[in-house]
Amino acid sequence: MEAFDDCLVATAHVARRNAPYYVGWVRQAHALSGTDIGTSLSRAAEQEALLRIQGRSQDWQVRQARHALRLYRYFIGPGGAGNEPDQTESDATAWGEPAASVQ
């Protein structure tokens, strides 16, 4: 998760002061789904985690958690730790990359 934190800040997608919260949302999603950190979360597991977070968090926190999970999905996608095959165009644009770079 340290590499994810560093990447968030290095790419200027998240301010240094907010990066720990993004990492925290991803950790929570893994804990709620019972999966190991560093592995990919299924879309269903992401949605279930977001629903549970929504029940106890404010709207802006749910939006931040959703953004964190989207960035994490892209971070561990092809070439990353998870090699998740269903990376989407919206994942690429979350990092500001052209959609053509998504395979």
Side-chain angles (χ1 to χ4, degrees):
M1 291 304 292
E2 186 176 329
F4 178 57
D5 180 273
D6 292 342
C7 189
L8 289 171
V9 175
T11 58
H13 285 285
V14 176
R16 166 60 60 198
R17 70 181 183 279
N18 293 334
Y21 299 106
Y22 278 65
V23 171
W25 292 124
V26 173
R27 286 184 187 278
Q28 269 190 55
H30 276 289
L32 291 169
S33 69
T35 57
D36 294 328
I37 293 174
T39 61
S40 61
L41 288 163
S42 69
R43 301 287 177 141
E46 283 183 20
Q47 290 306 311
E48 179 63 29
L50 286 169
L51 285 173
R52 293 173 80 181
I53 289 168
Q54 184 176 12
R56 62 177 188 249
S57 303
Q58 296 180 18
D59 288 345
W60 70 267
Q61 292 171 310
V62 176
R63 284 191 304 273
Q64 187 181 64
R66 183 177 293 113
H67 189 222
L69 290 171
R70 199 167 126 209
L71 291 172
Y72 181 71
R73 185 181 331 114
Y74 184 71
F75 175 76
I76 65 168
N83 290 322
E84 186 161 334
D86 65 343
Q87 185 179 33
T88 64
E89 180 177 330
S90 63
D91 297 334
T93 56
W95 287 101
E97 296 181 7
S101 67
V102 177
Q103 299 176 355

